[in-house]
Amino acid sequence: MVELEKLRFGTELIKRGFAKMQKGGVIMDVTNAEQAGIAEDAGAVAVMALHKVPADIRAAGGVARMADPKKIQEIMDAVTIPVMAKVRIGHVAEARALEALGVDMIDESEVLTPADVFFHIDKRKFVVPFVCGARSLGEAVRRIWEGAAMIRTKGEAGTGNVVEAVRHMRLINRAIDELKGMQKEAIYSVAEKFAEAYCKLANSVKEEMGLNAVTPDTIVYEEYTFVDVVDGLYKVLLEIRDLGRLPVVNFSAGGIATPADAAFMMQLGADGVFVGSGIFKSSNPPEYAKAIVEAVRHYDEPEVVAEVSKGLGDAMKGLDVFKLGEEERLQERGV
Amino acid sequence: MRVAVVGVQGDVEEHVVAAKLAMEKLGMEGEVVATRKPGVVEKSDAVIIPGGESTTISKLIFREVNGKTIAEEILTLAEEGKPIMGTCAGLILLSKHGDEQVEKTKTKLLGLLDVKIRRNAFGRQRESFQVPLEFKGVGVVEAIFIRAPAIVEVGGGVEILAKFEDYVVAARQDNVLGLAFHPELNVEFGDTRVHEYFLNMVEC
């Protein structure tokens, strides 16, 4: 007989497990039911329901928020694959609303305007799994400790320029290599360094009031003291050292515009890719979507990547990331 | 012995790790290989189809590469009596009859297990769960269900191995084993009993 008291929802195993099922796949940004259908037909493993794709968010300016739940619901009703949706960094109420709506994964995303300059959401308190952006090992470790079931390198969304996605994947890979040769004491120091990001609120208040800075037993984030945070980050770092990779799935995102871009990110070690504006800002979305799925599957077969790239029409126009001002770079949001 | 894990999409690595560990525990000699191309399955003694998105995995195993598909190779192997295991999305692909979601998405099935499945039978990710279940021939197994399908009808010759509420969640027809949950995720806490059960089917 089934012991119902042992029935559990939203455990770390279930949340991380969901993300593992996406591996080797392409997750596509869509803004309506029709686009979601195109993505599903092309073989996307999931869709990200948005009000506007990142390129249009960038062009429109203003505050970018959670999409209209009615729109998200329409997309959920249109496809059988999982539906993800974005919330602003730190916006617990948007996240609770999306959880209530029943989206399969929440992206706490720098593509939207951040709601909290101090903290990200404590994602362990949710049943629904989260994916978060990261552009360095420190950001990834903090998000994983907070309960993210999946990491995606941030790249620079809405640019159609893969350079930042490559930068962030290289930075994280290199940092993991550094970690592999390190002893426990040295790793604990890294954890202390990574934990400083949680002290901004407490320290700015203490400074204004002329008080001493944070001590190990000061509560700095949710119910956690500084030393709790350090211990938590330390455990994540040890796990990364022992596994030689992040303990959660790591996708690439932010600027992937062509099948070759997608294949390149897989070659650099991504578990899969998010394609945002790249598909529906191209001249032939259904073909583009299929070609990117094929390129991810055959990332190590150059002849296949060449074949699927033939005659696809124009990729999205794209932006030179190096000409963007710091305030225009979405990746700076949420460290 | 060689076990092939159909590695086009999903939690392939977890199955590879679980099958390797199970092999070690049973003292079996052999290798476990993930494959994304035709040519490997046909030379294997057992095949695993992992969890992932059934719509995606189906498209990829039925796609022709140099005139061959992974799907054909799996069918040939099954005919030879070699063990085939599918978990979650893998169960959907093994089954004979789909539901309206399978039809709507025009997902091609292998039809090796005479059951009718329902996709996302328990709901969306929010409703995903884990629970200890009695698995016939194995014992109590912590079963992890992720947007899981369920078996809603069972044909003759199909043995029911585990149930949850009114649903059949593990079934076997001769050399074909289908599970709605993810025993490969149990490798996280070192439990590989379901994979051991599967490997023991090889001699049958």
Side-chain angles (χ1 to χ4, degrees):
Chain A
M1 274 316 286
V2 173
E3 299 167 78
L4 282 174
E5 70 275 16
K6 290 191 178 158
L7 178 64
R8 291 184 291 159
F9 298 90
T11 61
E12 189 179 84
L13 208 53
I14 293 170
K15 292 195 276 190
R16 288 185 177 187
F18 167 79
K20 286 176 177 172
M21 300 311 148
Q22 312 294 308
K23 285 198 288 186
V26 181
I27 299 170
M28 301 182 190
D29 280 2
V30 298
T31 59
N32 57 45
E34 189 203 342
Q35 290 184 352
I38 291 172
E40 184 173 48
D41 286 344
V45 288
V47 292
M48 179 72 69
L50 285 161
H51 170 54
K52 289 189 179 93
V53 294
D56 291 334
I57 290 175
R58 202 175 264 291
V63 176
R65 310 178 178 93
M66 170 182 86
D68 182 342
K70 180 167 174 269
K71 254 305 189 269
I72 299 170
Q73 186 70 56
E74 282 168 13
I75 291 167
M76 285 165 54
D77 294 341
V79 292
T80 65
I81 54 178
V83 176
M84 308 181 177
K86 291 184 193 290
V87 299
R88 286 177 267 178
I89 288 171
H91 207 312
V92 177
E94 282 188 349
R96 285 294 178 197
L98 288 187
E99 183 177 53
L101 190 66
V103 303
D104 296 295
M105 182 172 242
I106 294 174
D107 184 1
E108 186 181 21
S109 176
E110 71 284 357
V111 171
L112 305 184
T113 309
D116 189 334
V117 296
F118 296 112
F119 301 121
H120 282 69
I121 295 168
D122 186 357
K123 294 162 274 286
R124 287 164 287 211
K125 298 187 169 115
F126 284 71
V127 166
V128 65
F130 279 72
V131 53
C132 287
R135 54 183 176 159
S136 64
L137 185 65
E139 292 184 6
V141 168
R142 285 190 287 273
R143 300 299 88 79
I144 293 167
W145 175 69
E146 292 158 7
M150 181 185 206
I151 292 294
R152 53 169 179 74
T153 49
K154 286 177 177 173
E156 190 55 46
T159 61
N161 190 334
V162 80
V163 65
E164 296 301 294
V166 173
R167 182 204 301 271
H168 300 153
M169 193 58 79
R170 286 209 186 282
L171 284 168
I172 290 175
N173 287 346
R174 172 68 208 210
I176 292 172
D177 285 343
E178 289 286 340
L179 214 52
K180 283 183 201 162
M182 286 170 68
Q183 300 300 314
K184 287 190 169 175
E185 303 74 50
I187 291 178
Y188 197 82
S189 304
V190 175
E192 286 175 319
K193 180 87 182 131
F194 284 177
E196 285 170 13
Y198 291 94
C199 301
K200 276 189 296 183
L201 173 64
N203 276 339
S204 70
V205 169
K206 284 174 183 288
E207 194 190 321
E208 191 200 13
M209 297 172 76
L211 304 172
N212 290 331
V214 163
T215 62
D217 52 8
T218 309
I219 288 182
V220 291
Y221 170 72
E222 297 285 319
E223 64 269 37
Y224 304 98
T225 63
F226 181 71
V227 79
D228 291 336
V229 175
V230 175
D231 287 347
L233 300 182
Y234 173 65
K235 279 195 194 112
V236 176
L237 282 164
L238 279 186
E239 206 181 349
I240 295 171
R241 182 193 67 173
D242 296 342
L243 291 170
R245 57 155 294 148
L246 298 182
V248 300
V249 168
N250 183 24
F251 269 47
S252 176
I256 295 158
T258 67
D261 285 349
F264 185 26
M265 295 319 300
M266 294 299 288
Q267 287 165 12
L268 287 175
D271 291 315
V273 299
F274 282 88
V275 185
S277 320
I279 290 168
F280 292 100
K281 285 282 158 190
S282 73
S283 59
N284 188 349
E287 286 308 309
Y288 240 88
K290 278 187 203 137
I292 289 179
V293 169
E294 279 291 278
V296 166
R297 180 194 178 194
H298 298 282
Y299 67 88
D300 54 354
E301 297 170 71
E303 58 285 357
V304 178
V305 177
E307 187 59 37
V308 301
S309 303
K310 280 181 188 164
L312 273 184
D314 294 329
M316 68 180 286
K317 187 158 172 282
L319 290 172
D320 183 347
V321 177
F322 302 116
K323 291 194 181 128
L324 293 176
E326 195 175 326
E327 68 289 349
E328 294 175 285
R329 288 207 300 267
L330 305 177
Q331 59 176 280
E332 310 290 336
R333 299 167 167 181
V335 294
Chain B
M1 176 168 62
R2 178 194 271 184
V3 178
V5 181
V6 174
V8 289
Q9 193 270 315
D11 68 337
V12 177
E13 188 57 29
E14 288 68 19
H15 267 296
V16 172
V17 172
K20 274 186 183 162
L21 189 57
M23 225 179 234
E24 220 172 88
K25 286 184 185 173
L26 293 171
M28 288 179 171
E29 293 285 324
E31 56 171 357
V32 184
V33 284
T35 176
R36 286 181 285 135
K37 285 180 254 185
V40 176
V41 168
E42 61 183 13
K43 296 194 199 87
S44 301
D45 305 294
V47 182
I48 298 173
I49 309 173
E53 272 308 309
S54 59
T55 50
T56 311
I57 299 176
S58 171
K59 283 188 179 77
L60 300 176
I61 65 170
F62 280 98
R63 200 154 290 175
E64 240 176 63
V65 182
N66 302 326
K68 286 183 358 187
T69 67
I70 294 177
E72 280 164 23
E73 294 183 310
I74 296 171
L75 291 172
T76 309
L77 218 66
E79 214 161 286
E80 291 166 6
K82 290 179 178 157
I84 319 280
M85 171 164 75
T87 62
C88 194
L91 162 67
I92 297 173
L93 296 178
L94 286 180
S95 62
K96 203 167 216 172
H97 309 284
D99 60 353
E100 61 285 352
Q101 282 197 15
V102 170
E103 276 164 31
K104 185 183 148 210
T105 53
K106 301 188 195 80
T107 306
K108 279 197 205 168
L109 307 177
L110 293 164
L112 290 170
L113 192 61
D114 188 9
V115 298
K116 180 175 163 68
I117 57 92
R118 183 175 298 155
R119 272 188 74 193
N120 302 326
F122 303 96
R124 307 191 69 95
Q125 176 58 20
R126 199 177 47 183
E127 284 83 42
S128 293
F129 60 97
Q130 62 182 86
V131 69
L133 286 185
E134 178 65 36
F135 190 115
K136 200 175 160 192
V138 175
V140 176
V141 170
E142 185 73 17
I144 300 162
F145 291 82
I146 297 177
R147 283 174 50 96
I151 295 171
V152 289
E153 282 170 34
V154 178
V158 176
E159 187 186 7
I160 294 168
L161 297 177
K163 287 183 87 169
F164 176 69
E165 294 178 343
D166 294 333
Y167 292 118
V168 174
V169 294
R172 175 175 174 179
Q173 185 172 10
D174 304 320
N175 55 325
V176 181
L177 177 64
L179 312 175
F181 52 94
H182 292 281
E184 71 279 11
L185 294 179
N186 295 16
V187 75
E188 193 94 2
F189 43 85
D191 182 6
T192 57
R193 286 172 299 148
V194 173
H195 283 75
E196 290 166 38
Y197 173 91
F198 174 65
L199 292 177
N200 280 327
M201 284 164 62
V202 171
E203 285 93 1
C204 299

